Amino acid sequence: MKLIIHRGANEIGGSCVEIQSGDSRILVDFGMPLVNKNRERFDSASIAGKSIEKLKEEEVLPAINGLYKGEKSAFKAILLSHSHQDHYGLLSSVNTDIPVYMSRGCKEIIEVSNFFGQTGYDLKNIKTVEMWQPFHIGDFTITPYLVDHSAFDAMAFLIKSENKKIFYSGDFRGHGRKSVLFKKILSNPPQNVDYLIMEGSMIGRDTDRNRTEDDVKIDITSLLKERSCLFFIACSSQNIDRLVSIYLACVNSGRIFVIDPYTAFILDKLKTISKNIPQFDWGKNIRIFFVPNRYTEKMAQNKSLFKFKSAKITYDHMQQIRNQLVIKDTFLTREIFAKKQDLTDTTLIYSMWNGYLPDVKPFWDQNNVPIVEIHASGHAYVEDLQDFVKAFNPKYIIPNHTFYPEQFERYFGSNVRIVKDGEVFAI
Ligand SMILES: [Zn+2]
Ligand SMILES: [Zn+2]
């Protein structure tokens, strides 16, 4: 077998790994970069409208033959580990003859993103896979593992061919709402793995405290009980674990979680996959504010907005009961409140990666709204990565999805093999 990490050996984001066995080539993930060459934030809007040739020239698209539109396809499949842009965000440039394998949850989320015009990716060649059920692609036998991550229905892959086993961890953690999956794989890991391609997002991030998703719920609950004021909360509509934490905190503190139609739409889409995901019609702790943004308009156009009418809360009603609310922050919602000068006695809970905080901080500072950060990472802490490696006891560990591959040896021992971006590595 041959392994080529086209991108991600030395950075977080833009994940793209190729594995070859005989004539069979597969690609695992095909993500948008999160940083540019200078390690500054990558501007994903900058690629809009550019040709594949141009994007190759700019090295946004890795030099991979037989993958792109307009070329003869040389790939048997693309496997997607999960629905984060840094793992699937470049799919729109791929030859649509190549089937793309993903979990049902991943498919739902990508379909939603596509519906709202966020991906430009042609969805016609999707194949969904079942967890822990091996399937065959060319010379490969692949087994998907459901993992705990901030993306819903995220997977790792055990990939077998030529009597060798590769385990691709994808993004994962041991401290989320599905931490039981982490414990399960520690107690029963796949045996005799030759190469563990493992993410290391948290390596080198000394400042992050080892907080769990349950800590997030507890801390938000305490804050909601402690302060009698209006709360806004900044979080991702696609981070289902976090929406569950916030919803439970609202239930525990007797507050109402006010979401936007886009968030309600996502939750509704996922209800066939899990019955534990809060829904708009679950009663007194959840309402929807029909913020007049482009998502709501899009839903109104295709008549899907109507479904959520029973949970609608108006601006005037929110004003009357403001101290009972936790409003999911969106650009327009906060602007509406600011315009009506209704942000006095308000707190913002910032519940996402703080790299994005500088984007919104000036707004809240200007309106004298204090910000409280309550967050837990979507990625495994170093101690959990160490337990993971110990349980697998692989022949070799290959660093991936990390800015610090050279630090792997310090944490995981001498059987680390650093593979550089683009290097053809014989397995
Ligand atoms: Zn990632
Ligand atoms: Zn991820």
Side-chain angles (χ1 to χ4, degrees), residues 86-87 171 401:
D86 67 314
H87 294 259
D171 293 0
H401 203 279

PDB file of all heavy atoms in Angstrom, residues 86-87 171 401, ligand 1:
ATOM      1  N   ASP A  86     -13.507  21.648   7.124  1.00  0.00           N
ATOM      2  CA  ASP A  86     -12.083  21.342   6.930  1.00  0.00           C
ATOM      3  C   ASP A  86     -11.861  19.866   6.574  1.00  0.00           C
ATOM      4  O   ASP A  86     -10.727  19.421   6.411  1.00  0.00           O
ATOM      5  CB  ASP A  86     -11.237  21.764   8.148  1.00  0.00           C
ATOM      6  CG  ASP A  86     -11.526  20.967   9.396  1.00  0.00           C
ATOM      7  OD1 ASP A  86     -12.714  20.764   9.706  1.00  0.00           O
ATOM      8  OD2 ASP A  86     -10.565  20.530  10.067  1.00  0.00           O
ATOM      9  N   HIS A  87     -12.991  19.117   6.408  1.00  0.00           N
ATOM     10  CA  HIS A  87     -12.901  17.713   5.973  1.00  0.00           C
ATOM     11  C   HIS A  87     -13.668  17.438   4.674  1.00  0.00           C
ATOM     12  O   HIS A  87     -13.460  16.402   4.060  1.00  0.00           O
ATOM     13  CB  HIS A  87     -13.368  16.772   7.093  1.00  0.00           C
ATOM     14  CG  HIS A  87     -12.442  16.821   8.261  1.00  0.00           C
ATOM     15  ND1 HIS A  87     -11.492  15.860   8.507  1.00  0.00           N
ATOM     16  CD2 HIS A  87     -12.269  17.778   9.208  1.00  0.00           C
ATOM     17  CE1 HIS A  87     -10.787  16.207   9.576  1.00  0.00           C
ATOM     18  NE2 HIS A  87     -11.236  17.365  10.016  1.00  0.00           N
ATOM     19  N   ASP A 171     -11.336  13.385  13.326  1.00  0.00           N
ATOM     20  CA  ASP A 171     -11.361  14.241  14.515  1.00  0.00           C
ATOM     21  C   ASP A 171     -12.168  13.525  15.586  1.00  0.00           C
ATOM     22  O   ASP A 171     -13.244  12.991  15.297  1.00  0.00           O
ATOM     23  CB  ASP A 171     -12.054  15.579  14.211  1.00  0.00           C
ATOM     24  CG  ASP A 171     -11.260  16.448  13.239  1.00  0.00           C
ATOM     25  OD1 ASP A 171     -10.178  16.021  12.806  1.00  0.00           O
ATOM     26  OD2 ASP A 171     -11.748  17.556  12.922  1.00  0.00           O
ATOM     27  N   HIS A 401      -3.545  16.343  11.124  1.00  0.00           N
ATOM     28  CA  HIS A 401      -4.459  17.335  11.711  1.00  0.00           C
ATOM     29  C   HIS A 401      -3.832  17.955  12.969  1.00  0.00           C
ATOM     30  O   HIS A 401      -4.423  17.993  14.035  1.00  0.00           O
ATOM     31  CB  HIS A 401      -5.786  16.632  12.056  1.00  0.00           C
ATOM     32  CG  HIS A 401      -6.973  17.553  12.156  1.00  0.00           C
ATOM     33  ND1 HIS A 401      -7.250  18.300  13.267  1.00  0.00           N
ATOM     34  CD2 HIS A 401      -7.984  17.826  11.299  1.00  0.00           C
ATOM     35  CE1 HIS A 401      -8.369  18.971  13.087  1.00  0.00           C
ATOM     36  NE2 HIS A 401      -8.839  18.719  11.895  1.00  0.00           N
TER      37      HIS A 401
HETATM   38 ZN    ZN B   1     -10.912  18.941  11.506  1.00  0.00          ZN
END
